[in-house]
Amino acid sequence: MRKFKGKNSKVNFIWIFIIWFSVILSILLLNNFIINENKKNLLNTIKTITDEINVRLNKEINTKFTNLEVTAKYLSEEELANPEKAIQELNRVAEKSNFNKIAITYPDGVSYLNTGQVINLGHREYFQKSMRGENYISSLVESAVDSSAVNVYSVPIIRNDKVVGVLWGSVLTEDFYKSLLMENIYYLDAIYFVDNLGNTISQLATTPFDKNFFDFIEETGKINEKNLKAMEKDFINAQDSYKLFTYRNEEVYIYYSKLNYNDWWLLGKISTEKIKNMNSSVFITSSGISVALILCSSLSFIILISKNKKTNDLFKLIAFTDDITEGKNDFFLKNNLDKIINKKGNFAFISLEIINIKPIINLLGFKNTQFLLKEAYNYIAESLNKDEVVVHSYLGEYKLVLKYNDEAELIKRIETINLNEINKNIDVKIGIYLIDRADIKFEEVFSYVNIAKESITDHLKYAIYTEEMHKKEYDKIKLEEEIKQGIANKEFKAYFQPKYGKDGKMIIGAEALVRWHKCGSIISPYVFIPVCEVNGLIKEIDELVLEDVCQNLRLWINQNKKVVPISVNLSRNYLDKINCINRLVKIINQYDIPKELIEFEVTESSLVGNEKKLKETIDTLRDKGFKVLLDDFGVGYSSIRTISEMNFDTLKIDKSFVDGIGEERWENIINYTIALSKKLDMNIIAEGIETEEQYQFLINSSCDVFQGYYFNKPINSDEFSKLL
Ligand code: C2E
Ligand code: MG
Ligand code: MG
């Protein structure tokens, strides 16, 4: 009996112990779970804040740079020569952009401030960067005037393709910081901005670390070394995360998240104490073993969850609100797209973008534009039906999710959303994607509407995404990659099409035409030049062709061949850029080619909208001793006045004119063109001559030089050298 009793009590004890142990364990696990959840939540919160700050940062920086750029562009010669005269204008810009100081700095570093002070700032990094032609925003620097901590925006002042000074405006670091912050960051003890080396950009905290975050943490104790290394590695890999550190004798979590600008990072600090306090009720419950404690801990768990929910809801409200229109923003759509499109019906995702937002800002000013964007948001929102959404993304882009029955009805509806009813200056472009599956991600639809928008040309306003557009975009990207590779491998070669004098026998020159030798086949410029003109690679191709021409000329000169001038085509992009001519001259000098052996062809279409700059470029080329030809004359819309002001040496009649020979109207036009060119002291070349009849007509019309398949197609350098 006793024995039995004893055994029974032992069993009871084991059961009680097991229950007690499980309760303790589950409380501890629960605690641990909640704490981890909280940490994750904090990281999410910081990410939400960073996303919002990124939007603000872009907005802030773009507006300031736009204001500086516009001012730099329109400073008159008189104001530049005499900066006191510019003070009123500078003050106006400072006020508009909230710069506490603004100044013009000349190449020698001497700076004229809107306050009337004159100081030398030649040593400042932002000045040096902008003298090299860059827009730059500095990290925290000490003001040379009053030692305050500032961030400086600087842009180059460019005249005749040369940087003649720098226009800069400074913002008190504190203001810069405040302009980026959201009102509700009370979760965190402090926020810092650092660059990817850990250097302070801007900060506001009661106990700020010194200049460099990593140095500071390193100094405060060995315990941080491992985490510090991991954090430095995350910075290199652009990976958001958080780490535990000792910070001024206090244990803190540092959360970090990358910003979009300048390799900058946002750091958020929160002490472990504070996190513990946030979970305090759970900690208390974990110390007990009774059912009461289980209830207590469950209760605190529920409270905590709901508290978390409340905080999350508040954050969501802030994070989902667009501060220009006070409506919803991108994050809202990103987080809710699945819920919206999972409802009954067909949905279309639409990006409606105001494409001329910059000119509108220049016209109305930033404040009025903000007002306009808000009005547009309300106008769109009013047109929506149940289950439909509009959000405002970055300056002037609205994203909509609309319900539809069929495509025609959807298009009709989109056409009724006419922002010109609000302001007649607004120009929009609309990309549409018809959502075809409910699990589609925001990023995916976003890229589809962008592809649809990209495909819009000329006067069309909207496009619906198709697979074909995607393929085109993909092919374009692939082609661009292959072109880059081709440039690196020097696969672009010059072919030569001879030009003949009146007798049709003597070669008096040639035009260099690019050919791409790609994997055994030869690709025509019509395939790759349009792409290269958009992405800027055309400059490198033009230089490769010029270099190939010079290399061949050098070879032929050394072989004592009777060389003739070669004309090289220059793209419009090339002519726009600073220092372009010096690069060309450098190549020509490198091969020691006499100037009269190189000529340049500029197409008529590149004159449009670019007259002033082009005239300067053409004059410079001629001053340096090169002849300049006007190519494809007759295809563009340039006026006779423009052409007469441009000082071309030669006018090249386009093939489309030559094709018209045989028809009286065209023959009259050719005769008229030739007479006009002679009056303007220009030589005449006709290109694209394919028949004897065309050649004879042109001889009789006093054309000077002849080029076309009738004589030769473009041929490679070996074949051409045999004709010399
Ligand atoms: P373009 O400068 O007007 O060159 C004349 C084009 O007409 C050349 O085409 C030439 O092969 C072609 N052509 C010449 N005679 C005849 C003819 O009798 N009949 C016919 N049907 N065609 C003739 P290509 O070589 O395909 O070049 C096309 C265009 O690409 C050039 O027009 C030029 O604008 C551009 N291009 C060519 N090479 C370069 C280059 O190195 N740089 C730049 N920027 N553009 C280039
Ligand atoms: Mg040409
Ligand atoms: Mg031509």
Side-chain angles (χ1 to χ4, degrees):
M1 188 73 163
R2 222 198 258 170
K3 210 177 171 186
F4 176 79
K5 224 178 162 183
K7 197 176 175 186
N8 198 22
S9 72
K10 204 173 176 183
V11 169
N12 281 345
F13 178 74
I14 288 172
W15 271 116
I16 288 170
F17 178 76
I18 290 175
I19 291 169
W20 175 79
F21 186 75
S22 334
V23 169
I24 289 280
L25 195 69
S26 45
I27 288 175
L28 286 179
L29 285 176
L30 195 65
N31 246 333
N32 208 15
F33 170 77
I34 293 175
I35 289 165
N36 279 336
E37 273 304 292
N38 251 323
K39 279 185 199 164
K40 263 196 242 157
N41 261 341
L42 268 170
L43 188 61
N44 282 340
T45 305
I46 300 240
K47 270 219 71 68
T48 316
I49 294 175
T50 330
D51 283 345
E52 175 71 6
I53 286 180
N54 269 328
V55 172
R56 287 173 189 229
L57 191 67
N58 277 333
K59 231 182 273 171
E60 176 79 11
I61 289 175
N62 282 343
T63 322
K64 288 205 162 55
F65 273 142
T66 309
N67 286 340
L68 281 179
E69 274 171 2
V70 171
T71 314
K73 192 166 164 197
Y74 293 111
L75 277 173
S76 66
E77 295 305 322
E78 199 190 350
E79 284 170 329
L80 272 178
N82 207 343
E84 291 86 43
K85 298 209 166 143
I87 282 188
Q88 205 182 349
E89 173 63 8
L90 295 185
N91 278 334
R92 194 187 62 76
V93 181
E95 196 184 325
K96 191 167 147 199
S97 299
N98 287 332
F99 289 127
N100 75 330
K101 291 194 185 59
I102 182 165
I104 301 173
T105 303
Y106 290 92
D108 56 1
V110 175
S111 307
Y112 292 83
L113 278 74
N114 62 328
T115 52
Q117 285 149 304
V118 181
I119 47 175
N120 194 310
L121 291 172
H123 57 289
R124 292 291 175 136
E125 193 188 6
Y126 58 81
F127 161 71
Q128 290 164 1
K129 290 253 187 196
S130 290
M131 275 308 289
R132 272 180 251 133
E134 285 176 39
N135 282 3
Y136 188 69
I137 167 163
S138 78
S139 299
L140 187 151
V141 293
E142 195 179 299
S143 157
V145 181
D146 56 14
S147 303
S148 53
V150 290
N151 295 84
V152 184
Y153 292 71
S154 61
V155 303
I157 305 172
I158 299 175
R159 294 293 179 273
N160 299 335
D161 294 343
K162 273 207 333 250
V163 181
V164 298
V166 169
L167 181 69
W168 59 260
S170 61
V171 185
L172 282 178
T173 290
E174 199 182 302
D175 290 343
F176 176 63
Y177 175 89
K178 277 183 196 155
S179 68
L180 299 180
L181 276 196
M182 299 164 69
E183 295 70 28
N184 269 306
I185 49 157
Y186 56 82
Y187 243 139
L188 304 165
D189 297 337
I191 278 192
Y192 313 111
F193 295 101
V194 298
D195 64 17
N196 61 348
L197 298 174
N199 294 323
T200 312
I201 294 153
S202 173
Q203 58 191 357
L204 195 80
T206 42
T207 56
F209 50 86
D210 300 329
K211 287 269 179 253
N212 185 289
F213 173 77
F214 291 126
D215 290 349
F216 174 80
I217 290 286
E218 204 153 36
E219 282 157 24
T220 56
K222 274 203 154 158
I223 171 185
N224 294 311
E225 223 163 76
K226 204 171 120 232
N227 282 347
L228 193 65
K229 287 236 160 67
M231 180 166 167
E232 278 174 316
K233 209 165 148 201
D234 284 344
F235 266 42
I236 293 168
N237 297 331
Q239 171 73 46
D240 298 354
S241 184
Y242 60 93
K243 294 278 174 298
L244 184 68
F245 290 109
T246 309
Y247 185 102
R248 301 217 154 150
N249 298 328
E250 187 189 19
E251 285 225 310
V252 295
Y253 278 103
I254 299 286
Y255 286 77
Y256 43 95
S257 189
K258 191 159 184 329
L259 296 171
N260 286 343
Y261 212 81
N262 265 7
D263 279 334
W264 287 354
W265 289 77
L266 176 79
L267 306 187
K269 176 169 79 83
I270 182 161
S271 68
T272 48
E273 199 53 38
K274 195 161 177 182
I275 294 184
K276 265 188 205 152
N277 287 342
M278 287 162 94
N279 299 292
S280 60
S281 48
V282 182
F283 271 100
I284 295 161
T285 53
S286 66
S287 58
I289 53 165
S290 66
V291 177
L293 274 184
I294 298 175
L295 287 175
C296 204
S297 67
S298 320
L299 202 67
S300 52
F301 178 72
I302 292 162
I303 290 171
L304 232 138
I305 297 273
S306 74
K307 208 167 146 191
N308 260 346
K309 196 175 169 310
K310 262 189 205 157
T311 324
N312 279 345
D313 287 350
L314 183 64
F315 271 116
K316 272 183 187 161
L317 186 72
I318 296 162
F320 290 166
T321 304
D322 170 55
D323 61 352
I324 291 186
T325 59
E326 288 164 17
K328 298 188 181 83
N329 65 10
D330 252 15
F331 304 122
F332 170 80
L333 199 51
K334 201 169 161 179
N335 278 276
N336 291 285
L337 185 69
D338 52 346
K339 280 176 224 137
I340 300 166
I341 63 177
N342 263 300
K343 296 201 175 118
K344 228 176 115 208
N346 297 326
F347 288 91
F349 188 94
I350 290 147
S351 162
L352 183 152
E353 185 186 340
I354 299 180
I355 46 181
N356 55 341
I357 192 73
K358 267 200 172 172
I360 289 180
I361 295 175
N362 289 344
L363 188 75
L364 302 179
F366 197 68
K367 264 231 150 67
N368 288 334
T369 309
Q370 273 185 312
F371 185 71
L372 181 76
L373 293 174
K374 188 173 173 182
E375 245 189 308
Y377 179 89
N378 293 336
Y379 168 84
I380 299 172
E382 273 167 25
S383 76
L384 298 185
N385 299 327
K386 192 172 163 261
D387 297 338
E388 297 182 333
V389 177
V390 57
V391 303
H392 177 244
S393 314
Y394 183 65
L395 271 186
E397 190 200 347
Y398 299 91
K399 295 199 184 83
L400 292 78
V401 181
L402 297 186
K403 257 182 150 174
Y404 72 100
N405 290 320
D406 60 68
E407 252 179 68
E409 173 217 290
L410 176 69
I411 297 295
K412 243 192 199 156
R413 182 129 181 247
I414 290 172
E415 277 170 350
T416 61
I417 303 178
N418 179 7
L419 296 190
N420 289 128
E421 285 181 14
I422 294 174
N423 184 307
K424 62 177 179 1
N425 291 317
I426 294 180
D427 270 338
V428 300
K429 165 159 115 166
I430 304 170
I432 306 165
Y433 177 70
L434 305 178
I435 294 176
D436 51 358
R437 61 200 148 84
D439 62 346
I440 198 157
K441 290 272 164 301
F442 175 82
E443 287 74 13
E444 210 178 326
V445 271
F446 183 43
S447 79
Y448 292 155
V449 284
N450 277 339
I451 290 173
K453 267 193 305 191
E454 285 289 308
S455 76
I456 297 174
T457 47
D458 305 332
H459 37 269
L460 266 182
K461 271 200 164 37
Y462 58 82
I464 301 183
Y465 168 88
T466 61
E467 293 249 325
E468 205 178 308
M469 287 174 190
H470 204 149
K471 189 169 173 309
K472 261 198 196 150
E473 184 71 15
Y474 172 77
D475 289 346
K476 206 175 96 192
I477 293 169
K478 210 170 122 214
L479 179 64
E480 272 183 24
E481 277 315 305
E482 287 173 350
I483 293 171
K484 278 186 197 151
Q485 201 58 46
I487 291 174
N489 298 340
K490 297 208 169 176
E491 290 167 5
F492 293 88
K493 298 280 174 214
Y495 271 50
F496 298 84
Q497 186 175 37
K499 296 175 187 170
Y500 289 85
K502 278 211 161 73
D503 63 358
K505 292 202 174 64
M506 192 156 102
I507 296 180
I508 58 163
E511 177 176 7
L513 293 155
V514 66
R515 295 292 178 270
W516 183 9
H517 284 240
K518 184 170 169 274
C519 308
S521 50
I522 297 172
I523 297 177
S524 142
Y526 289 115
V527 176
F528 55 87
I529 286 191
V531 178
C532 294
E533 275 177 339
V534 176
N535 64 18
L537 288 173
I538 187 69
K539 282 172 275 150
E540 288 169 57
I541 292 181
D542 280 352
E543 279 169 30
L544 275 187
V545 171
L546 178 65
E547 187 167 359
D548 198 21
V549 166
C550 291
Q551 216 167 4
N552 279 306
L553 277 172
R554 174 58 24 223
L555 181 76
W556 299 329
I557 294 170
N558 291 350
Q559 291 171 344
N560 285 325
K561 294 215 182 249
K562 199 173 151 283
V563 287
V564 289
I566 310 285
S567 59
V568 175
N569 290 285
L570 278 189
S571 100
R572 170 198 185 116
N573 303 39
Y574 203 89
L575 296 168
D576 281 355
K577 296 289 176 278
I578 311 178
N579 287 337
C580 75
I581 297 171
N582 290 343
R583 294 223 301 267
L584 302 176
V585 175
K586 207 170 144 202
I587 296 173
I588 296 165
N589 288 343
Q590 201 182 328
Y591 290 90
D592 198 15
I593 306 295
K595 302 253 164 75
E596 58 278 11
L597 287 182
I598 301 288
E599 298 173 349
F600 291 101
E601 297 197 7
V602 178
T603 58
E604 192 199 345
S605 58
S606 54
L607 304 180
V608 181
N610 228 2
E611 288 86 353
K612 203 166 156 240
K613 206 162 222 163
L614 256 153
K615 183 169 163 33
E616 284 166 18
T617 314
I618 290 162
D619 286 346
T620 321
L621 279 170
R622 294 187 80 230
D623 288 348
K624 294 203 185 270
F626 302 106
K627 286 210 166 98
V628 185
L629 285 65
L630 175 61
D631 200 357
D632 297 349
F633 177 75
V635 177
Y637 300 95
S638 40
S639 68
I640 292 182
R641 198 179 130 222
T642 318
I643 291 166
S644 65
E645 279 173 357
M646 285 281 182
N647 293 330
F648 287 106
D649 295 283
T650 303
L651 186 143
K652 214 171 174 184
I653 299 183
D654 189 60
K655 181 174 179 302
S656 54
F657 277 34
V658 176
D659 287 342
I661 293 175
E663 288 173 45
E664 198 187 331
R665 202 169 87 86
W666 283 102
E667 291 181 351
N668 286 341
I669 292 177
I670 294 178
N671 280 330
Y672 171 74
T673 309
I674 293 178
L676 179 83
S677 336
K678 300 263 153 154
K679 275 227 162 75
L680 293 173
D681 230 7
M682 288 193 273
N683 287 324
I684 282 279
I685 304 185
E687 68 177 347
I689 303 168
E690 291 182 338
T691 65
E692 169 73 24
E693 183 204 350
Q694 290 168 343
Y695 171 48
Q696 284 310 331
F697 173 83
L698 289 160
I699 288 192
N700 294 335
S701 308
S702 312
C703 179
D704 306 309
V705 184
F706 307 84
Q707 181 187 348
Y709 289 179
Y710 177 66
F711 307 98
N712 299 89
K713 288 199 163 175
I715 46 183
N716 69 27
S717 57
D718 285 344
E719 288 173 80
F720 180 65
S721 75
K722 285 182 200 146
L723 301 179
L724 293 177

